[in-house]
Amino acid sequence: MSQIYWAVDDGFKYMLSVMQSDVMLNQGNKILIIDAKFYTHTTQKYHNVSRLHSNNLYQIFTYVKNATISLGLEPDKVSGMLLYAHTDEKIQPNNVYMMNGNRISVKTLNLNKDFSKIAAQLNSIVTDHF
């Protein structure tokens, strides 16, 4: 169930593509939508200030808001996460934002470890969220 449908008011969905997240986890009536990203740089610079990639943030926000509405859930029941592969950069995103009632997280995952440590990182994401 990692497909998310547009929450249109009049049911007209002609030419609207289905949104496809990488992972959708649920426990009870809580949902976590994860979109994984791999870039050379986990942030972008604007006027020499590191910022999140805005297009990724727009994407996860769109997924979360449409899932919230189309599934008929309260905003605090649907969360989103941008999960970046850890890079050599000095700044590694690890933030949680509350946006219009939904929790949006940005995390990095260090893939330069043995698999048991990668699994532990992934497990901590789930336990921290649920």
Side-chain angles (χ1 to χ4, degrees):
M1 178 177 151
S2 57
Q3 291 188 335
I4 302 157
Y5 298 93
W6 289 96
V8 296
D9 293 337
D10 60 1
F12 185 69
K13 297 181 183 183
Y14 178 69
M15 296 184 70
L16 294 179
S17 59
V18 175
M19 294 172 268
Q20 183 72 44
S21 68
D22 293 324
V23 177
M24 190 179 295
L25 304 173
N26 66 311
Q27 182 179 46
N29 64 346
K30 285 186 163 185
I31 294 173
L32 174 60
I33 300 167
I34 301 175
D35 213 53
K37 304 293 183 187
F38 184 82
Y39 291 108
T40 305
H41 304 284
T42 54
T43 60
Q44 58 188 7
K45 293 258 187 188
Y46 184 72
H47 293 294
N48 212 27
V49 176
S50 293
R51 303 271 186 217
L52 298 172
H53 290 274
S54 56
N55 56 334
N56 298 339
L57 199 53
Y58 299 148
Q59 180 183 24
I60 196 68
F61 185 75
T62 300
Y63 287 0
V64 166
K65 293 317 280 183
N66 279 277
T68 300
I69 295 166
S70 63
L71 296 172
L73 296 171
E74 293 297 316
D76 65 337
K77 302 296 182 197
V78 181
S79 301
M81 178 182 291
L82 291 171
L83 185 60
Y84 289 95
H86 186 90
T87 65
D88 292 335
E89 292 178 296
K90 187 176 177 181
I91 296 174
Q92 297 295 317
N94 186 22
N95 308 307
V96 176
Y97 306 95
M98 291 304 296
M99 296 182 176
N100 201 355
N102 298 96
R103 179 177 159 184
I104 306 290
S105 305
V106 181
K107 304 269 185 201
T108 56
L109 181 67
N110 191 340
L111 300 172
N112 196 20
K113 296 184 176 224
D114 80 41
F115 185 75
S116 65
K117 297 211 186 288
I118 295 170
Q121 291 176 87
L122 292 169
N123 287 335
S124 73
I125 286 171
V126 173
T127 55
D128 289 348
H129 184 76
F130 294 109

